[in-house]
Amino acid sequence: MMLRLQSPLPERYLEASDDELAEWIGNAKAALGERVFILGHHYQRDEVMRWADARGDSFRLSVLAKERTQADYIVFCGVHFMAEAADILTGDHQQVILPDLNAGCSMADMADIDSVEEAWESLAEVTDIESVVPITYMNSAANLKAFVGRHGGAVCTSTNARAVLEWALRREDGPRARQVLFFPDQHLGRNTGYAMGFTEDDMAVWNPRLDLGGLDEVTAKESTFLLWKGHCSVHQRFRPEHVEQFRAEHPDGIVVAHPECSHEVCSLADHVGSTDFIIRTVEAAPSGSVIGVGTEIHLVQRLDDETPDKTVVSLDPLVCPCSTMFRIDAQHLAWVLESLVEGRVPNRITVDPDTAHWARVALERMLAIT
Ligand code: 13P
Ligand code: SF4
């Protein structure tokens, strides 16, 4: 895991009661007015989410921040790669702030630029690298988005992964992919490949710790999808047994899973899609439905609270929260907002201009495709 250091908060925040924190946040937010825009990713705790001016998935929030031109300060209640994406997409006068610098994403950290460049070089020794297109999931560092931008690839989200992969394999605006190097989440890549009609014979897992990804030369050269050996520690916890147990208890229940879950789980689900898709699926379900969801627990609980005519439960009764999303709490939010009122900008997340340029190229390719 990449080390990012968050300095300890002043005692005042650590000792404050919930009511005091809520009062400080409310006052600071009111004092900043339109100059601040608070974004809340769907996995945030309720104590943070109640202050969000906009809720959404990672990509939608960045677009909303860009559109809110009057906001000088974008406080991103989410994780590091999301704040970087917001900095890439927003104007120069807008400063993006991550309330706790230790809020990373363990999946994003499973692919770093050195390992991806090494993989690219070793692939170039065995295959025609001009016909390999790199695709990175939104959940990745800015320098990986820039890498795919430089090498003719694109970013994808869990919503548009299929459209992006289809573009890569059929494109007419550049070299068509014979192979795709997909990082950092093997599950999103595999689930999308299966949905497109490919089989496991077309896919191989690239292990960055091993020479040539741990593959023999023929496999490295012939696999349509080279899937980076990365995963989300939250979504990998869902198992087929959880789906079977839910179905046994609720024979008419509906199962919906995030595509970061394993293929075994997704193939048993009724619906598979991003956090926004999961919300829409719950909204569209008939009153009285019982819906078993395979994603982060804060979203599942909020959906249950906000749709009283339906029962929304986690497929895994023992599921843990995303520990890095969980780092953003009322203490850190109060601290950043009060610092802004005092004229200090804490925890600013910036991406250097060259990286931002190429990452934007990869993001714009995604937008043009979808
Ligand atoms: P979304 O893009 O669906 O919000 O997912 C982000 C994420 O971190 C999922 O684990
Ligand atoms: Fe990263 Fe998984 Fe947490 Fe999403 S839920 S931020 S992919 S660790």
Side-chain angles (χ1 to χ4, degrees), residues 41 43 57-58 81-82 137 139 158 232 235 258 260 274-275:
H41 184 269
Y43 295 165
D57 63 17
S58 56
F81 75 80
M82 299 181 184
Y137 186 21
N139 296 28
S158 48
C232 165
H235 290 89
H258 195 284
E260 290 173 17
S274 65
T275 49

Side-chain angles (χ1 to χ4, degrees), residues 111-270:
D112 62 82
I113 189 69
D114 291 343
S115 324
V116 169
E117 277 174 351
E118 250 172 57
W120 197 251
E121 279 163 27
S122 49
L123 264 175
E125 287 170 18
V126 300
T127 193
D128 170 18
I129 203 70
E130 294 299 318
S131 69
V132 183
V133 170
I135 304 288
T136 191
Y137 186 21
M138 191 71 185
N139 296 28
S140 59
N143 53 13
L144 294 192
K145 294 186 176 80
F147 176 92
V148 306
R150 284 193 185 95
H151 291 89
V155 177
C156 75
T157 67
S158 48
T159 305
N160 60 29
R162 181 172 178 163
V164 172
L165 288 178
E166 283 176 348
W167 161 84
L169 293 168
R170 291 203 201 124
R171 69 191 291 186
E172 278 155 17
D173 61 340
R176 187 171 304 181
R178 203 180 54 79
Q179 295 183 277
V180 168
L181 177 63
F182 188 91
F183 40 85
D185 183 26
Q186 60 172 298
H187 298 294
L188 178 63
R190 185 177 297 110
N191 284 320
T192 312
Y194 275 115
M196 290 164 69
F198 288 92
T199 69
E200 71 177 306
D201 293 344
D202 304 308
M203 307 180 202
V205 173
W206 183 277
N207 182 344
R209 294 175 194 274
L210 301 175
D211 287 344
L212 199 58
L215 304 175
D216 60 64
E217 239 182 87
V218 176
T219 309
K221 200 174 159 162
E222 297 304 330
S223 302
T224 307
F225 297 100
L226 295 165
L227 306 173
W228 198 264
K229 193 172 180 343
H231 65 265
C232 165
S233 49
V234 175
H235 290 89
Q236 74 153 8
R237 287 180 56 94
F238 295 100
R239 305 295 318 144
E241 305 83 86
H242 294 131
V243 183
E244 283 154 16
Q245 180 69 29
F246 174 83
R247 294 229 191 262
E249 286 169 22
H250 309 284
D252 298 325
I254 300 166
V255 175
V256 51
H258 195 284
E260 290 173 17
C261 295
S262 70
H263 183 61
E264 290 76 16
V265 168
C266 290
S267 59
L268 293 175
D270 299 304

Side-chain angles (χ1 to χ4, degrees), residues 84 87-88 92 142-143 146 150 348-360:
E84 279 190 331
D87 185 56
I88 290 165
D92 289 346
N143 53 13
R150 284 193 185 95
R348 184 171 175 199
I349 303 299
T350 52
V351 176
D352 70 80
D354 186 54
T355 304
H357 166 78
W358 285 106
R360 223 177 282 120

Side-chain angles (χ1 to χ4, degrees), residues 284-337:
S287 188
S289 301
V290 182
I291 305 147
V293 180
T295 198
E296 209 270 350
I297 192 68
H298 286 90
L299 174 56
V300 179
Q301 274 166 356
R302 188 169 307 116
L303 283 169
D304 189 46
D305 293 345
E306 293 181 356
T307 45
D309 62 323
K310 298 167 203 176
T311 305
V312 185
V313 296
S314 171
L315 285 174
D316 174 3
L318 301 177
V319 76
C320 303
C322 170
S323 57
T324 46
M325 285 274 179
F326 198 63
R327 285 181 174 275
I328 311 293
D329 54 15
Q331 280 95 336
H332 286 83
L333 184 57
W335 172 65
V336 294
L337 292 176

